Amino acid sequence: MRELYRQICRLDRLDVDAWFTLGLLNGQLGFLKDTVSCFGEAAALRPDSAEAHFNLGKALGDLGRLEEAAHAYGRALDCRPEWPEASNNLGNILQALGRLDGAVDCYERALRIRPEFAEAYANLGNVLQLQGRINKAVEIYRRALAIRPRYPKVYKALGGALSNLGRLDEALACYRGAARLDPGDMGLAAAEALILERQGLSDQAYAMIKPFIDNGTENFEIADAFAALCGGVGRCDEAIVLLERNLGRGNMQRDRQQLISAHFALGRLYDNRGEYDKAFAHYRIGNDLKPYAFDGKAFAEFISSLIGVFDADFMRRAPRAAHGSERPIFIVGMPRSGTSLVEQILASHPQVFGAGELEDMRYIAADVCGALASILSYPACVRQLTAEACDRLAARYLERLALVSPDARY
């Protein structure tokens, strides 16, 4: 059939329908470059064909030609503005390019057109997580599940969001629910292992992923989880071998984000071993693979906004939590300044548990605007902080400490 349509297109290069059909056949058979050529011909012959531009965008996206894919989806929407799938797909491309605000706009546009579009809700939740709007992401994932209750990908994503918020038992329930729906997803075992590791159960965490490691898995999520927990079970040399092996098998177009994570994990592990040249090389490659560059100007503006909000006057008059727990000990310092040594010294005391570098405060900062139901972004919304909100956020942090170590006084 493919050869027949190739002959038709050679005989009549103006036959739009033949180019379109040949493009579909090429796509089904995995000939992506030929798919792009065919839909490019169809779109050039019929510029008002939303379907030609849409399929061209899909093929370009599959090839990793993201800027061109974004342009093609834009043309499709010019031709048919009320097409939710085109808005959703453009959002996916913009997300991959790091244009998160544009991606949010696309998903919200798709949902205005089709309010029951569960996939668009799932994708919107993913972008909100990347923006640090974790509470809002949880809400959006729950909307997706209300529409499509048997949606393992969303259970998994919801588990990740709840984990980021320190709601570990709820996260575990999500991962286990997803595993019942999709028992073949090794990433769910990896996610559950990471929760167990955060709960201080390193041996149980390793037992979750050991069968996959023993079977020579190429799964990036298992390898990432192994890298995260290997220190607790004394197996970081094996984790490095697995990560390096997976890097050699990864496909740049298919596995870009996983390759980025693997390079950063290797950077951390080599750094811990004192092999700084190898660590730096992996960190550099991981950064180079990111689809967007560091925006120095935006970062400087963000730091200026922090300075502007958290000034001396605000710190004097800001509300405080009422219960005044003395349980947390915060060690603050620059990298390589001895903070880990201070923690080790304190943790040698029988009443002190060294919890490591918890990320909960970062998640609380990311979530504070949602907790205040503020329309402002962080840090501007912090000026609306109330004593009640402080109590809720502090209680959440203390609950997290109780999970990490229920018995330690400090």
Side-chain angles (χ1 to χ4, degrees):
M1 182 70 76
R2 176 175 179 250
E3 187 55 39
L4 173 62
Y5 274 95
R6 290 176 72 179
Q7 291 179 24
I8 294 171
C9 290
R10 281 196 294 268
L11 291 171
D12 184 1
R13 298 195 64 83
L14 300 180
D15 189 334
V16 177
D17 294 333
W19 282 114
F20 195 93
T21 303
L22 181 56
L24 293 174
L25 290 170
N26 282 324
Q28 291 168 1
L29 295 170
F31 298 105
L32 293 180
K33 291 183 179 179
D34 291 340
T35 304
V36 167
S37 298
C38 291
F39 285 120
E41 292 282 355
L45 290 168
R46 192 176 292 166
D48 61 347
S49 171
E51 290 80 4
H53 293 297
F54 178 91
N55 285 283
L56 176 59
K58 186 176 185 304
L60 288 165
D62 289 341
L63 280 172
R65 294 161 60 178
L66 302 182
E67 291 285 0
E68 296 169 86
H71 177 73
Y73 281 126
R75 291 290 305 277
L77 287 165
D78 289 340
C79 299
R80 191 191 297 175
E82 300 296 299
W83 193 355
E85 286 82 5
S87 287
N88 180 69
N89 287 15
L90 178 55
N92 293 340
I93 296 296
L94 294 177
Q95 180 182 164
L97 287 167
R99 300 175 193 165
L100 302 186
D101 289 342
V104 168
D105 290 342
C106 287
Y107 298 136
E108 289 179 342
R109 177 181 184 179
L111 289 165
R112 283 195 297 272
I113 301 166
R114 184 185 297 166
E116 300 299 300
F117 196 172
E119 185 180 347
Y121 273 119
N123 292 329
L124 175 58
N126 294 340
V127 175
L128 292 170
Q129 277 217 76
L130 291 172
Q131 292 180 319
R133 299 160 64 186
I134 312 296
N135 248 358
K136 184 66 175 176
V138 168
E139 175 191 333
I140 293 299
Y141 288 138
R142 293 199 190 282
R143 290 190 196 178
L145 290 170
I147 297 166
R148 191 191 301 177
R150 298 181 63 81
Y151 200 165
K153 183 173 74 172
V154 175
Y155 274 111
K156 185 177 181 180
L158 176 58
L162 292 167
S163 173
N164 287 340
L165 291 171
R167 294 156 63 177
L168 302 186
D169 290 339
E170 294 175 76
L172 272 178
C174 285
Y175 291 141
R176 289 168 180 169
R180 286 192 292 272
L181 296 172
D182 186 8
D185 186 350
M186 285 187 279
L188 292 165
E192 184 169 342
L194 289 173
I195 295 290
L196 295 172
E197 169 68 12
R198 287 179 65 182
Q199 292 177 328
L201 304 172
S202 296
D203 290 336
Q204 291 184 36
Y206 178 62
M208 283 288 304
I209 61 173
K210 186 177 184 297
F212 305 107
I213 297 168
D214 291 345
N215 288 334
T217 182
E218 298 178 21
N219 183 274
F220 279 98
E221 290 170 291
I222 292 290
D224 277 349
F226 194 16
L229 61 86
C230 66
V233 292
R235 295 181 175 273
C236 286
D237 288 350
E238 297 170 46
I240 287 174
V241 170
L242 178 57
L243 285 164
E244 294 277 18
R245 188 172 72 231
N246 280 8
L247 282 180
R249 297 169 175 170
N251 179 288
M252 187 63 68
Q253 293 172 359
R254 183 190 65 230
D255 305 318
R256 177 183 289 267
Q257 190 56 51
Q258 290 93 332
L259 289 169
I260 292 169
S261 296
H263 279 295
F264 281 125
L266 279 165
R268 179 176 53 80
L269 293 177
Y270 278 125
D271 183 40
N272 291 342
R273 288 209 315 196
E275 297 184 47
Y276 304 121
D277 288 342
K278 287 184 178 180
F280 192 88
H282 281 291
Y283 282 134
R284 183 175 61 241
I285 295 169
N287 276 312
D288 289 344
L289 287 176
K290 288 183 177 180
Y292 49 91
F294 173 70
D295 188 337
K297 181 181 178 182
F299 183 73
E301 290 173 352
F302 176 68
I303 296 300
S304 295
S305 69
L306 288 174
I307 294 169
V309 170
F310 293 100
D311 57 15
D313 179 62
F314 174 79
M315 297 307 294
R316 280 193 301 270
R317 62 180 177 78
R320 263 68 173 171
H323 47 65
S325 171
E326 295 183 353
R327 192 169 191 228
I329 300 172
F330 293 96
I331 302 170
V332 182
M334 297 296 288
R336 304 296 177 189
S337 65
T339 51
S340 297
L341 177 61
V342 171
E343 179 187 11
Q344 290 169 14
I345 294 169
L346 291 172
S348 67
H349 192 284
Q351 294 183 351
V352 178
F353 176 81
E357 296 185 11
L358 298 178
E359 297 196 54
D360 297 73
M361 199 56 65
R362 177 167 68 87
Y363 297 135
I364 286 173
D367 193 42
V368 67
C369 297
L372 295 169
S374 175
I375 62 172
L376 299 175
S377 59
Y378 184 84
C381 70
V382 175
R383 292 196 179 278
Q384 300 173 344
L385 200 62
T386 64
E388 293 76 15
C390 287
D391 279 330
R392 289 196 303 272
L393 295 169
R396 195 172 85 192
Y397 187 80
L398 293 170
E399 288 168 5
R400 167 79 170 112
L401 295 188
L403 290 172
V404 172
S405 180
D407 301 322
R409 181 173 178 181
Y410 298 104

